[in-house]
Amino acid sequence: GEAFRGFTLGLYVEDPDAEVDTSTLRRGIVCAPSARAAQRALAKNHVARLIEPLEARGVRVDVYLASYGCEGVPGVSEDVARRWWAELISWYDGSTFRVKAAAPLPRAAGQTQRTLVSYGVDAAIRSGVSYRSFIVWRFDQAALADVEGPARRGDDEPPTGY
């Protein structure tokens, strides 16, 4: 899912005589202030449920953010788009500099979720780090429970076997 999308799931205009159609209505929600507030809440959820539980078990977590951001969205200034993207990075980065790659991808015809996933996975591969695991998570989905990390081990044992 893309960042700052707002809650568009299940939002449809079924009246053929309505002043707006479904896509126009949904575009009006993307990158609106309410979408920013929702994204902030989701980022807090992701950090609390996906990232911090792993870090608490001694796992280093690197984050690769891939989304279209708000650049080029009608009614959103370039300044706001840049500021919100920087905020998004800070919400995931914390004080540990977790975010290793994050750039808003330009919107283009024919893009799918695969475009975004490919950006993140490709950036991780290019980093040269050998990852044991990789979690792909949508910006618009909350985690309902904490992710399980490896069993706690002594300081002299690497977190393996999970």
Side-chain angles (χ1 to χ4, degrees):
E2 61 187 271
F4 306 112
R5 182 177 182 176
F7 293 106
T8 59
L9 185 64
L11 186 62
Y12 298 97
V13 175
E14 296 180 353
D15 181 355
D17 298 323
E19 294 181 27
V20 298
D21 60 10
T22 298
S23 62
T24 303
L25 178 62
R26 287 182 176 181
R27 274 194 305 274
I29 294 170
V30 172
C31 294
S34 60
R36 181 198 170 278
Q39 194 62 63
R40 177 65 179 124
L42 285 162
K44 284 182 178 183
N45 169 274
H46 298 159
V47 170
R49 296 238 182 227
L50 303 173
I51 296 171
E52 289 175 345
L54 291 171
E55 290 176 336
R57 301 279 182 135
V59 175
R60 186 186 85 209
V61 177
D62 292 343
V63 176
Y64 295 84
L65 300 176
S67 184
Y68 303 118
C70 293
E71 290 184 16
V73 172
V76 178
S77 72
E78 288 182 28
D79 179 58
V80 167
R82 280 191 299 272
R83 184 167 37 90
W84 284 13
W85 189 260
E87 289 175 350
L88 181 74
I89 293 169
S90 73
W91 297 338
Y92 286 92
D93 222 11
S95 60
T96 61
F97 306 104
R98 298 177 188 111
V99 177
K100 304 304 178 195
L105 279 66
R107 296 172 188 267
Q111 289 174 321
T112 65
Q113 293 301 316
R114 182 178 180 174
T115 306
L116 300 175
V117 172
S118 293
Y119 171 84
V121 172
D122 290 349
I125 291 169
R126 283 191 310 274
S127 75
V129 175
S130 179
Y131 292 103
R132 179 179 175 103
S133 301
F134 204 83
I135 298 172
V136 176
W137 200 267
R138 291 176 58 108
F139 281 103
D140 57 353
Q141 298 294 309
L144 300 180
D146 291 356
V147 69
E148 287 292 324
R152 294 185 191 276
R153 303 202 183 262
D155 291 339
D156 58 344
E157 293 183 56
T160 60
Y162 59 96

